[in-house]
Amino acid sequence: MTTTDWLASERGELAADRILDAAAEAFASNGVGATSMSDIAERAGCSRATLYRHYPTRHELRVAFVNRETLRVMAEVEIGDPSSPSELLLNGVLGALQRVRSDPALAAWFAPGDLRIAAELSDQDEVLDAIVDRFLTSVGVTDRVEGRRRARWLVRSFTSFLVLPASDPDEERRLIADFVVPAILAPTPAAR
């Protein structure tokens, strides 16, 4: 009689999640670029072989971390009244900024020495799709290609606010309301 390990996939997901949690701790302590796979394995309490079985490269681990955290931030942000696309988008962007700034593991991605890594990973399909699905479709951007294009611009704007914050929260709110929201909600341009 052959038996299968019916819990194998759940254990694998749990192990992968534990590794990403350990990566978060390491990113917060060391910075993203300075964190090695050995640092993460040690914090996770697993061997490097186990770590590499789940994430064969540091790049793949980083992509998995960014994708997981993007989905978490999107799920945790309070976006407000869905009947007002402008308010929904404004509150979503402001809430996401606050969430990233308040989490040392996420804020580490936007430190001067690690910004390049964040920029490279922000254009991942999973990240863009999460932004399209969570924010942009709810404010009326329904075309997938146009949604991804606007998501790319939103990520660039979002990153600029993390790297160069406005002088005060009211000014930041006004900048986002006056420039980011209208650009995202503008009618889709005619085909070029």
Side-chain angles (χ1 to χ4, degrees):
M1 177 172 147
T2 305
T3 60
T4 59
D5 185 355
W6 59 277
L7 292 175
S9 66
E10 287 84 2
R11 276 195 300 275
E13 289 173 26
L14 183 60
D17 213 33
R18 186 171 178 177
I19 290 167
L20 294 179
D21 290 342
E25 292 174 17
F27 296 153
S29 295
N30 307 339
V32 177
T35 296
S36 70
M37 295 294 266
S38 295
D39 295 333
I40 295 168
E42 183 179 321
R43 285 180 188 267
C46 68
S47 68
R48 285 182 43 187
T50 298
L51 174 66
Y52 283 113
R53 188 170 44 252
H54 290 280
Y55 301 105
T57 66
R58 185 163 56 165
H59 177 76
E60 288 179 57
L61 182 137
R62 288 173 174 169
V63 167
F65 180 82
V66 167
N67 291 340
R68 180 184 83 164
E69 295 307 310
T70 298
L71 292 173
R72 282 185 174 177
V73 168
M74 298 279 181
E76 293 172 6
V77 168
E78 193 65 43
I79 54 177
D81 180 9
S83 66
S84 171
S86 296
E87 283 299 310
L88 188 145
L89 187 58
L90 175 62
N91 291 336
V93 171
L94 289 169
L97 284 168
Q98 191 280 326
R99 173 73 174 80
V100 169
R101 288 174 177 149
S102 68
D103 185 325
L106 300 180
W109 287 80
F110 300 95
D114 293 323
L115 189 54
R116 181 187 54 77
I117 299 167
E120 289 171 3
L121 296 180
S122 67
D123 204 34
Q124 299 291 314
D125 287 342
E126 294 87 352
V127 172
L128 296 174
D129 287 342
I131 293 167
V132 170
D133 294 340
R134 174 67 174 154
F135 285 126
L136 301 186
T137 58
S138 63
V139 297
V141 179
T142 56
D143 178 81
R144 198 75 174 166
V145 173
E146 183 62 20
R148 277 193 174 174
R149 190 169 85 79
R150 291 177 190 222
R152 281 187 181 93
W153 190 87
L154 185 57
V155 166
R156 284 170 172 77
S157 300
F158 187 84
T159 301
S160 73
F161 280 104
L162 289 168
V163 175
L164 300 167
S167 57
D168 67 71
D170 291 334
E171 174 65 7
E172 186 164 83
R173 181 179 195 81
R174 283 190 300 275
L175 288 170
I176 294 168
D178 292 348
F179 299 106
V180 176
V181 170
I184 296 296
L185 298 180
T188 302
R192 296 166 217 239

